[in-house]
Amino acid sequence: MAKVKTTWYCQNCGAQYAKWQGQCTTCKKWDSLVEEVVQKEQTPSWQTGDVPGTLSRKRNSKPQRISEINAQESPRLDTTNLEFNRVLGGGLVPGSVTLLGGEPGIGKSTLLLQVCLNLPFKTLYVSGEESAQQIKMRADRINKNAENCYILTETKTQNIFKQVSDIEPDVLIIDSIQTLQTQHIESTAGSVSQIRECTGELIKFAKQTATPVIVIGHITKDGHIAGPKILEHMVDTVLQFEGDRNHTYRILRALKNRFGSTHEIGIYEMLGHGLREVTNPSEILIANKDLEISGTAIAATMEGMRPLMIEVQALVSTAVYGTPQRSATGYNLKRLNMILAVLEKRAGFKLGQKDVFLNITGGINVDDPAIDLAVVAAILSSNFDIALNPKHCFSAEVGLGGEIRTASRMEQRINEAGKLGFERICIAPAKQNFKNSTAQVVAFSKIEDLVRYLFA
């Protein structure tokens, strides 16, 4: 009887060790090594590429001079989902491997099934978590009936590749990578070795046959994709599907993309019949924009190439307890503390003994520094208890000296403000002339000038 081979894997980074040790020398994390049974075959059929039905689609690999390589970009596959295409950079790239992560129940399977049903190509949806009847019930709720969509409930990669060789799909979707298991390794499904080996087989299949593969991955309680960190390095694109369960809106964000920008986002609305694409997110992110409420300001921000108008809410009140509270939702708390220090040092506002709460409506997180001016306006509006003009919006960065700095892509921000009916937009002085814009441009160089303009 052959001796059982075991090894130790780090659950955080996936590093491999021959014996147990307290600390992983690669990622420096303590007590993260677990023992797993590993018994690989000498020459696995998939590693050698001998998969029936795929040899005709296999691309020959041989050295080429860089001057002889055709730099023309291969045509992308249109998913017919505008928001999904936007985040991917224009569509699915042949031979690419995309990893989609998100909270449990956030709608990852619903999104990919909806994309799968709308694709005009032959698609194979492999599920290791749900039965075919459950997937059919969800498809009926989405109210789509596609003839090009095939459903397979299987967890062994060898059986999956056998069906792939028979069907030869144009797109392969795996739900999820933690449920797959290869017979070349004897550890349980979801272990570090199984996740890495199964992902390697999927990547090899995608590159050899030029078939796009989309993989769903679970995430940990810390919000990171479960499994070794090397999993994110192996794939071409990493997408994060995020949102608050108390809100109906979901955001699809690219954390890594070898074929496009990582600054684009897609916005969806979760409905009873599936996910609806939100083509104009500014209208849903600004609620009751005609109401004059103190502590509310509108900011013109950018997410990738898309201009957005978001609502910034602030509440400033006298501290009940000895230590003032500082809280920010959807905004960097350290940056909020910096802005409060600038207001106290440069503008003379005594906010050190007051509670300050900041909220970005819509349940989204914004890291664009151009919303600093809107944050300042909202905080001062709540401090004075004076409502701002609802037809005004703001877009500029605030420096440590109290100076107001210009933001990027100002023309797109100003045009979006004018399109949504805003009369004036407060920005920093710029060399560019914005005479053709619908909204009137008002420039300020210091915070003191803005205070006099808003509250004098």
Side-chain angles (χ1 to χ4, degrees), residues 233-262:
H233 294 286
M234 292 169 67
V235 299
D236 299 310
T237 307
V238 179
L239 304 181
Q240 184 84 6
F241 201 43
E242 56 191 36
D244 190 350
R245 290 193 178 186
N246 297 323
H247 294 81
T248 60
Y249 300 107
R250 305 285 188 266
I251 295 177
L252 183 64
R253 194 184 304 271
L255 304 181
K256 169 190 174 182
N257 193 353
R258 289 174 178 166
F259 312 109
S261 172
T262 57

PDB file of all heavy atoms in Angstrom, residues 233-262:
ATOM      1  N   HIS A 233      -3.819  36.072  -8.337  1.00  0.00           N
ATOM      2  CA  HIS A 233      -2.714  36.332  -9.263  1.00  0.00           C
ATOM      3  C   HIS A 233      -2.809  35.457 -10.510  1.00  0.00           C
ATOM      4  O   HIS A 233      -2.340  35.848 -11.582  1.00  0.00           O
ATOM      5  CB  HIS A 233      -1.370  36.086  -8.569  1.00  0.00           C
ATOM      6  CG  HIS A 233      -1.077  37.049  -7.468  1.00  0.00           C
ATOM      7  ND1 HIS A 233      -0.704  38.351  -7.692  1.00  0.00           N
ATOM      8  CD2 HIS A 233      -1.122  36.909  -6.119  1.00  0.00           C
ATOM      9  CE1 HIS A 233      -0.504  38.978  -6.544  1.00  0.00           C
ATOM     10  NE2 HIS A 233      -0.754  38.111  -5.565  1.00  0.00           N
ATOM     11  N   MET A 234      -3.411  34.291 -10.387  1.00  0.00           N
ATOM     12  CA  MET A 234      -3.475  33.355 -11.513  1.00  0.00           C
ATOM     13  C   MET A 234      -4.472  33.803 -12.567  1.00  0.00           C
ATOM     14  O   MET A 234      -4.239  33.627 -13.764  1.00  0.00           O
ATOM     15  CB  MET A 234      -3.839  31.957 -11.004  1.00  0.00           C
ATOM     16  CG  MET A 234      -2.769  31.301 -10.149  1.00  0.00           C
ATOM     17  SD  MET A 234      -3.354  29.810  -9.315  1.00  0.00           S
ATOM     18  CE  MET A 234      -3.616  28.720 -10.709  1.00  0.00           C
ATOM     19  N   VAL A 235      -5.608  34.356 -12.152  1.00  0.00           N
ATOM     20  CA  VAL A 235      -6.668  34.703 -13.098  1.00  0.00           C
ATOM     21  C   VAL A 235      -6.352  36.033 -13.767  1.00  0.00           C
ATOM     22  O   VAL A 235      -5.474  36.788 -13.338  1.00  0.00           O
ATOM     23  CB  VAL A 235      -8.037  34.767 -12.386  1.00  0.00           C
ATOM     24  CG1 VAL A 235      -8.386  33.426 -11.778  1.00  0.00           C
ATOM     25  CG2 VAL A 235      -8.046  35.848 -11.312  1.00  0.00           C
ATOM     26  N   ASP A 236      -7.096  36.331 -14.838  1.00  0.00           N
ATOM     27  CA  ASP A 236      -6.874  37.566 -15.589  1.00  0.00           C
ATOM     28  C   ASP A 236      -7.643  38.745 -15.003  1.00  0.00           C
ATOM     29  O   ASP A 236      -7.164  39.878 -15.032  1.00  0.00           O
ATOM     30  CB  ASP A 236      -7.286  37.372 -17.057  1.00  0.00           C
ATOM     31  CG  ASP A 236      -6.487  36.285 -17.741  1.00  0.00           C
ATOM     32  OD1 ASP A 236      -5.250  36.329 -17.649  1.00  0.00           O
ATOM     33  OD2 ASP A 236      -7.089  35.384 -18.347  1.00  0.00           O
ATOM     34  N   THR A 237      -8.843  38.488 -14.515  1.00  0.00           N
ATOM     35  CA  THR A 237      -9.712  39.560 -14.022  1.00  0.00           C
ATOM     36  C   THR A 237     -10.328  39.137 -12.699  1.00  0.00           C
ATOM     37  O   THR A 237     -10.769  37.991 -12.556  1.00  0.00           O
ATOM     38  CB  THR A 237     -10.829  39.883 -15.040  1.00  0.00           C
ATOM     39  OG1 THR A 237     -10.240  40.137 -16.319  1.00  0.00           O
ATOM     40  CG2 THR A 237     -11.630  41.090 -14.612  1.00  0.00           C
ATOM     41  N   VAL A 238     -10.352  40.063 -11.749  1.00  0.00           N
ATOM     42  CA  VAL A 238     -10.993  39.829 -10.457  1.00  0.00           C
ATOM     43  C   VAL A 238     -12.096  40.878 -10.287  1.00  0.00           C
ATOM     44  O   VAL A 238     -11.809  42.082 -10.285  1.00  0.00           O
ATOM     45  CB  VAL A 238      -9.991  39.913  -9.287  1.00  0.00           C
ATOM     46  CG1 VAL A 238     -10.709  39.686  -7.960  1.00  0.00           C
ATOM     47  CG2 VAL A 238      -8.876  38.905  -9.466  1.00  0.00           C
ATOM     48  N   LEU A 239     -13.333  40.413 -10.165  1.00  0.00           N
ATOM     49  CA  LEU A 239     -14.475  41.302  -9.993  1.00  0.00           C
ATOM     50  C   LEU A 239     -15.045  41.130  -8.589  1.00  0.00           C
ATOM     51  O   LEU A 239     -15.077  40.014  -8.060  1.00  0.00           O
ATOM     52  CB  LEU A 239     -15.573  41.007 -11.026  1.00  0.00           C
ATOM     53  CG  LEU A 239     -15.172  41.052 -12.498  1.00  0.00           C
ATOM     54  CD1 LEU A 239     -16.376  40.750 -13.376  1.00  0.00           C
ATOM     55  CD2 LEU A 239     -14.582  42.406 -12.856  1.00  0.00           C
ATOM     56  N   GLN A 240     -15.494  42.231  -8.009  1.00  0.00           N
ATOM     57  CA  GLN A 240     -16.111  42.216  -6.683  1.00  0.00           C
ATOM     58  C   GLN A 240     -17.541  42.703  -6.823  1.00  0.00           C
ATOM     59  O   GLN A 240     -17.792  43.792  -7.318  1.00  0.00           O
ATOM     60  CB  GLN A 240     -15.328  43.106  -5.722  1.00  0.00           C
ATOM     61  CG  GLN A 240     -15.822  43.079  -4.297  1.00  0.00           C
ATOM     62  CD  GLN A 240     -15.260  41.920  -3.491  1.00  0.00           C
ATOM     63  OE1 GLN A 240     -14.399  41.200  -3.983  1.00  0.00           O
ATOM     64  NE2 GLN A 240     -15.732  41.746  -2.278  1.00  0.00           N
ATOM     65  N   PHE A 241     -18.492  41.866  -6.382  1.00  0.00           N
ATOM     66  CA  PHE A 241     -19.903  42.232  -6.410  1.00  0.00           C
ATOM     67  C   PHE A 241     -20.290  42.599  -4.988  1.00  0.00           C
ATOM     68  O   PHE A 241     -20.317  41.736  -4.099  1.00  0.00           O
ATOM     69  CB  PHE A 241     -20.739  41.049  -6.926  1.00  0.00           C
ATOM     70  CG  PHE A 241     -22.079  41.451  -7.468  1.00  0.00           C
ATOM     71  CD1 PHE A 241     -22.216  42.554  -8.277  1.00  0.00           C
ATOM     72  CD2 PHE A 241     -23.213  40.711  -7.178  1.00  0.00           C
ATOM     73  CE1 PHE A 241     -23.444  42.923  -8.786  1.00  0.00           C
ATOM     74  CE2 PHE A 241     -24.441  41.063  -7.684  1.00  0.00           C
ATOM     75  CZ  PHE A 241     -24.562  42.178  -8.496  1.00  0.00           C
ATOM     76  N   GLU A 242     -20.569  43.858  -4.759  1.00  0.00           N
ATOM     77  CA  GLU A 242     -20.774  44.342  -3.401  1.00  0.00           C
ATOM     78  C   GLU A 242     -22.060  45.139  -3.296  1.00  0.00           C
ATOM     79  O   GLU A 242     -22.651  45.547  -4.295  1.00  0.00           O
ATOM     80  CB  GLU A 242     -19.583  45.203  -2.961  1.00  0.00           C
ATOM     81  CG  GLU A 242     -19.313  46.369  -3.888  1.00  0.00           C
ATOM     82  CD  GLU A 242     -17.993  47.044  -3.605  1.00  0.00           C
ATOM     83  OE1 GLU A 242     -17.032  46.345  -3.245  1.00  0.00           O
ATOM     84  OE2 GLU A 242     -17.914  48.286  -3.752  1.00  0.00           O
ATOM     85  N   GLY A 243     -22.480  45.364  -2.074  1.00  0.00           N
ATOM     86  CA  GLY A 243     -23.698  46.120  -1.807  1.00  0.00           C
ATOM     87  C   GLY A 243     -24.203  45.826  -0.413  1.00  0.00           C
ATOM     88  O   GLY A 243     -23.746  44.901   0.266  1.00  0.00           O
ATOM     89  N   ASP A 244     -25.146  46.603   0.011  1.00  0.00           N
ATOM     90  CA  ASP A 244     -25.760  46.446   1.322  1.00  0.00           C
ATOM     91  C   ASP A 244     -27.088  45.737   1.150  1.00  0.00           C
ATOM     92  O   ASP A 244     -27.888  46.097   0.275  1.00  0.00           O
ATOM     93  CB  ASP A 244     -25.967  47.823   1.973  1.00  0.00           C
ATOM     94  CG  ASP A 244     -26.372  47.719   3.430  1.00  0.00           C
ATOM     95  OD1 ASP A 244     -26.669  46.599   3.886  1.00  0.00           O
ATOM     96  OD2 ASP A 244     -26.389  48.763   4.107  1.00  0.00           O
ATOM     97  N   ARG A 245     -27.336  44.738   1.989  1.00  0.00           N
ATOM     98  CA  ARG A 245     -28.595  44.008   1.873  1.00  0.00           C
ATOM     99  C   ARG A 245     -29.795  44.879   2.198  1.00  0.00           C
ATOM    100  O   ARG A 245     -30.925  44.556   1.838  1.00  0.00           O
ATOM    101  CB  ARG A 245     -28.574  42.799   2.817  1.00  0.00           C
ATOM    102  CG  ARG A 245     -27.616  41.710   2.381  1.00  0.00           C
ATOM    103  CD  ARG A 245     -27.851  40.422   3.138  1.00  0.00           C
ATOM    104  NE  ARG A 245     -26.969  39.369   2.679  1.00  0.00           N
ATOM    105  CZ  ARG A 245     -27.050  38.114   3.095  1.00  0.00           C
ATOM    106  NH1 ARG A 245     -27.961  37.783   3.991  1.00  0.00           N
ATOM    107  NH2 ARG A 245     -26.222  37.207   2.628  1.00  0.00           N
ATOM    108  N   ASN A 246     -29.557  45.979   2.921  1.00  0.00           N
ATOM    109  CA  ASN A 246     -30.652  46.893   3.229  1.00  0.00           C
ATOM    110  C   ASN A 246     -30.982  47.807   2.059  1.00  0.00           C
ATOM    111  O   ASN A 246     -31.982  48.528   2.104  1.00  0.00           O
ATOM    112  CB  ASN A 246     -30.301  47.739   4.463  1.00  0.00           C
ATOM    113  CG  ASN A 246     -30.118  46.879   5.703  1.00  0.00           C
ATOM    114  OD1 ASN A 246     -30.821  45.896   5.885  1.00  0.00           O
ATOM    115  ND2 ASN A 246     -29.155  47.247   6.535  1.00  0.00           N
ATOM    116  N   HIS A 247     -30.125  47.824   1.047  1.00  0.00           N
ATOM    117  CA  HIS A 247     -30.374  48.604  -0.162  1.00  0.00           C
ATOM    118  C   HIS A 247     -30.560  47.646  -1.336  1.00  0.00           C
ATOM    119  O   HIS A 247     -30.045  46.529  -1.346  1.00  0.00           O
ATOM    120  CB  HIS A 247     -29.211  49.562  -0.454  1.00  0.00           C
ATOM    121  CG  HIS A 247     -29.039  50.631   0.573  1.00  0.00           C
ATOM    122  ND1 HIS A 247     -28.387  50.411   1.758  1.00  0.00           N
ATOM    123  CD2 HIS A 247     -29.437  51.929   0.595  1.00  0.00           C
ATOM    124  CE1 HIS A 247     -28.383  51.528   2.475  1.00  0.00           C
ATOM    125  NE2 HIS A 247     -29.013  52.461   1.788  1.00  0.00           N
ATOM    126  N   THR A 248     -31.295  48.103  -2.313  1.00  0.00           N
ATOM    127  CA  THR A 248     -31.562  47.262  -3.481  1.00  0.00           C
ATOM    128  C   THR A 248     -30.484  47.388  -4.543  1.00  0.00           C
ATOM    129  O   THR A 248     -30.529  46.668  -5.540  1.00  0.00           O
ATOM    130  CB  THR A 248     -32.926  47.618  -4.101  1.00  0.00           C
ATOM    131  OG1 THR A 248     -32.917  48.999  -4.504  1.00  0.00           O
ATOM    132  CG2 THR A 248     -34.047  47.380  -3.104  1.00  0.00           C
ATOM    133  N   TYR A 249     -29.528  48.271  -4.350  1.00  0.00           N
ATOM    134  CA  TYR A 249     -28.542  48.529  -5.386  1.00  0.00           C
ATOM    135  C   TYR A 249     -27.270  47.723  -5.127  1.00  0.00           C
ATOM    136  O   TYR A 249     -26.843  47.553  -3.986  1.00  0.00           O
ATOM    137  CB  TYR A 249     -28.222  50.025  -5.474  1.00  0.00           C
ATOM    138  CG  TYR A 249     -29.437  50.853  -5.806  1.00  0.00           C
ATOM    139  CD1 TYR A 249     -30.042  51.653  -4.844  1.00  0.00           C
ATOM    140  CD2 TYR A 249     -30.002  50.798  -7.072  1.00  0.00           C
ATOM    141  CE1 TYR A 249     -31.172  52.389  -5.142  1.00  0.00           C
ATOM    142  CE2 TYR A 249     -31.132  51.527  -7.381  1.00  0.00           C
ATOM    143  CZ  TYR A 249     -31.712  52.320  -6.409  1.00  0.00           C
ATOM    144  OH  TYR A 249     -32.843  53.036  -6.708  1.00  0.00           O
ATOM    145  N   ARG A 250     -26.697  47.211  -6.203  1.00  0.00           N
ATOM    146  CA  ARG A 250     -25.478  46.428  -6.168  1.00  0.00           C
ATOM    147  C   ARG A 250     -24.445  47.076  -7.080  1.00  0.00           C
ATOM    148  O   ARG A 250     -24.793  47.640  -8.119  1.00  0.00           O
ATOM    149  CB  ARG A 250     -25.730  44.984  -6.624  1.00  0.00           C
ATOM    150  CG  ARG A 250     -26.827  44.264  -5.859  1.00  0.00           C
ATOM    151  CD  ARG A 250     -26.370  43.865  -4.477  1.00  0.00           C
ATOM    152  NE  ARG A 250     -27.343  43.022  -3.815  1.00  0.00           N
ATOM    153  CZ  ARG A 250     -28.285  43.461  -2.996  1.00  0.00           C
ATOM    154  NH1 ARG A 250     -28.383  44.772  -2.753  1.00  0.00           N
ATOM    155  NH2 ARG A 250     -29.118  42.627  -2.414  1.00  0.00           N
ATOM    156  N   ILE A 251     -23.178  46.965  -6.677  1.00  0.00           N
ATOM    157  CA  ILE A 251     -22.091  47.558  -7.449  1.00  0.00           C
ATOM    158  C   ILE A 251     -21.117  46.464  -7.856  1.00  0.00           C
ATOM    159  O   ILE A 251     -20.666  45.676  -7.020  1.00  0.00           O
ATOM    160  CB  ILE A 251     -21.365  48.644  -6.636  1.00  0.00           C
ATOM    161  CG1 ILE A 251     -22.308  49.806  -6.349  1.00  0.00           C
ATOM    162  CG2 ILE A 251     -20.129  49.146  -7.381  1.00  0.00           C
ATOM    163  CD1 ILE A 251     -21.702  50.900  -5.501  1.00  0.00           C
ATOM    164  N   LEU A 252     -20.810  46.398  -9.132  1.00  0.00           N
ATOM    165  CA  LEU A 252     -19.820  45.471  -9.677  1.00  0.00           C
ATOM    166  C   LEU A 252     -18.544  46.263  -9.942  1.00  0.00           C
ATOM    167  O   LEU A 252     -18.551  47.216 -10.730  1.00  0.00           O
ATOM    168  CB  LEU A 252     -20.337  44.820 -10.964  1.00  0.00           C
ATOM    169  CG  LEU A 252     -19.441  43.773 -11.608  1.00  0.00           C
ATOM    170  CD1 LEU A 252     -19.288  42.564 -10.689  1.00  0.00           C
ATOM    171  CD2 LEU A 252     -20.002  43.338 -12.960  1.00  0.00           C
ATOM    172  N   ARG A 253     -17.472  45.860  -9.261  1.00  0.00           N
ATOM    173  CA  ARG A 253     -16.226  46.616  -9.315  1.00  0.00           C
ATOM    174  C   ARG A 253     -15.081  45.698  -9.739  1.00  0.00           C
ATOM    175  O   ARG A 253     -15.027  44.542  -9.318  1.00  0.00           O
ATOM    176  CB  ARG A 253     -15.945  47.221  -7.943  1.00  0.00           C
ATOM    177  CG  ARG A 253     -14.877  48.297  -7.908  1.00  0.00           C
ATOM    178  CD  ARG A 253     -14.622  48.738  -6.478  1.00  0.00           C
ATOM    179  NE  ARG A 253     -15.822  49.195  -5.824  1.00  0.00           N
ATOM    180  CZ  ARG A 253     -16.258  50.447  -5.856  1.00  0.00           C
ATOM    181  NH1 ARG A 253     -15.568  51.345  -6.526  1.00  0.00           N
ATOM    182  NH2 ARG A 253     -17.358  50.800  -5.223  1.00  0.00           N
ATOM    183  N   ALA A 254     -14.169  46.205 -10.548  1.00  0.00           N
ATOM    184  CA  ALA A 254     -13.002  45.434 -10.996  1.00  0.00           C
ATOM    185  C   ALA A 254     -11.828  45.726 -10.075  1.00  0.00           C
ATOM    186  O   ALA A 254     -11.394  46.876  -9.958  1.00  0.00           O
ATOM    187  CB  ALA A 254     -12.648  45.784 -12.438  1.00  0.00           C
ATOM    188  N   LEU A 255     -11.321  44.691  -9.394  1.00  0.00           N
ATOM    189  CA  LEU A 255     -10.141  44.838  -8.557  1.00  0.00           C
ATOM    190  C   LEU A 255      -8.858  44.586  -9.342  1.00  0.00           C
ATOM    191  O   LEU A 255      -7.795  45.081  -8.970  1.00  0.00           O
ATOM    192  CB  LEU A 255     -10.212  43.862  -7.365  1.00  0.00           C
ATOM    193  CG  LEU A 255     -11.463  43.967  -6.481  1.00  0.00           C
ATOM    194  CD1 LEU A 255     -11.387  42.960  -5.345  1.00  0.00           C
ATOM    195  CD2 LEU A 255     -11.636  45.374  -5.943  1.00  0.00           C
ATOM    196  N   LYS A 256      -8.967  43.804 -10.397  1.00  0.00           N
ATOM    197  CA  LYS A 256      -7.825  43.512 -11.258  1.00  0.00           C
ATOM    198  C   LYS A 256      -8.363  43.231 -12.650  1.00  0.00           C
ATOM    199  O   LYS A 256      -9.378  42.537 -12.808  1.00  0.00           O
ATOM    200  CB  LYS A 256      -7.057  42.296 -10.726  1.00  0.00           C
ATOM    201  CG  LYS A 256      -6.003  41.753 -11.698  1.00  0.00           C
ATOM    202  CD  LYS A 256      -5.456  40.428 -11.219  1.00  0.00           C
ATOM    203  CE  LYS A 256      -4.516  39.826 -12.248  1.00  0.00           C
ATOM    204  NZ  LYS A 256      -4.001  38.509 -11.846  1.00  0.00           N
ATOM    205  N   ASN A 257      -7.716  43.788 -13.660  1.00  0.00           N
ATOM    206  CA  ASN A 257      -8.172  43.570 -15.034  1.00  0.00           C
ATOM    207  C   ASN A 257      -6.981  43.726 -15.975  1.00  0.00           C
ATOM    208  O   ASN A 257      -6.440  44.832 -16.132  1.00  0.00           O
ATOM    209  CB  ASN A 257      -9.268  44.569 -15.406  1.00  0.00           C
ATOM    210  CG  ASN A 257      -9.980  44.196 -16.693  1.00  0.00           C
ATOM    211  OD1 ASN A 257      -9.581  43.270 -17.388  1.00  0.00           O
ATOM    212  ND2 ASN A 257     -11.031  44.906 -17.024  1.00  0.00           N
ATOM    213  N   ARG A 258      -6.563  42.619 -16.565  1.00  0.00           N
ATOM    214  CA  ARG A 258      -5.433  42.656 -17.504  1.00  0.00           C
ATOM    215  C   ARG A 258      -5.828  43.203 -18.863  1.00  0.00           C
ATOM    216  O   ARG A 258      -4.955  43.468 -19.696  1.00  0.00           O
ATOM    217  CB  ARG A 258      -4.865  41.248 -17.683  1.00  0.00           C
ATOM    218  CG  ARG A 258      -4.120  40.728 -16.460  1.00  0.00           C
ATOM    219  CD  ARG A 258      -3.701  39.289 -16.622  1.00  0.00           C
ATOM    220  NE  ARG A 258      -2.937  38.806 -15.470  1.00  0.00           N
ATOM    221  CZ  ARG A 258      -2.682  37.540 -15.221  1.00  0.00           C
ATOM    222  NH1 ARG A 258      -3.113  36.597 -16.068  1.00  0.00           N
ATOM    223  NH2 ARG A 258      -1.995  37.186 -14.159  1.00  0.00           N
ATOM    224  N   PHE A 259      -7.114  43.360 -19.117  1.00  0.00           N
ATOM    225  CA  PHE A 259      -7.575  43.769 -20.444  1.00  0.00           C
ATOM    226  C   PHE A 259      -8.353  45.082 -20.411  1.00  0.00           C
ATOM    227  O   PHE A 259      -8.996  45.437 -21.397  1.00  0.00           O
ATOM    228  CB  PHE A 259      -8.468  42.685 -21.057  1.00  0.00           C
ATOM    229  CG  PHE A 259      -7.885  41.303 -20.977  1.00  0.00           C
ATOM    230  CD1 PHE A 259      -8.418  40.355 -20.113  1.00  0.00           C
ATOM    231  CD2 PHE A 259      -6.800  40.959 -21.743  1.00  0.00           C
ATOM    232  CE1 PHE A 259      -7.886  39.085 -20.035  1.00  0.00           C
ATOM    233  CE2 PHE A 259      -6.252  39.688 -21.672  1.00  0.00           C
ATOM    234  CZ  PHE A 259      -6.792  38.756 -20.816  1.00  0.00           C
ATOM    235  N   GLY A 260      -8.317  45.797 -19.300  1.00  0.00           N
ATOM    236  CA  GLY A 260      -9.070  47.040 -19.222  1.00  0.00           C
ATOM    237  C   GLY A 260      -8.769  47.780 -17.930  1.00  0.00           C
ATOM    238  O   GLY A 260      -7.875  47.419 -17.165  1.00  0.00           O
ATOM    239  N   SER A 261      -9.538  48.831 -17.691  1.00  0.00           N
ATOM    240  CA  SER A 261      -9.337  49.669 -16.523  1.00  0.00           C
ATOM    241  C   SER A 261      -9.956  49.027 -15.282  1.00  0.00           C
ATOM    242  O   SER A 261     -10.941  48.292 -15.367  1.00  0.00           O
ATOM    243  CB  SER A 261      -9.970  51.052 -16.757  1.00  0.00           C
ATOM    244  OG  SER A 261      -9.952  51.821 -15.581  1.00  0.00           O
ATOM    245  N   THR A 262      -9.368  49.335 -14.127  1.00  0.00           N
ATOM    246  CA  THR A 262      -9.928  48.866 -12.859  1.00  0.00           C
ATOM    247  C   THR A 262     -10.740  49.951 -12.163  1.00  0.00           C
ATOM    248  O   THR A 262     -11.119  49.792 -11.005  1.00  0.00           O
ATOM    249  CB  THR A 262      -8.804  48.401 -11.912  1.00  0.00           C
ATOM    250  OG1 THR A 262      -7.885  49.483 -11.716  1.00  0.00           O
ATOM    251  CG2 THR A 262      -8.070  47.208 -12.497  1.00  0.00           C
TER     252      THR A 262
END
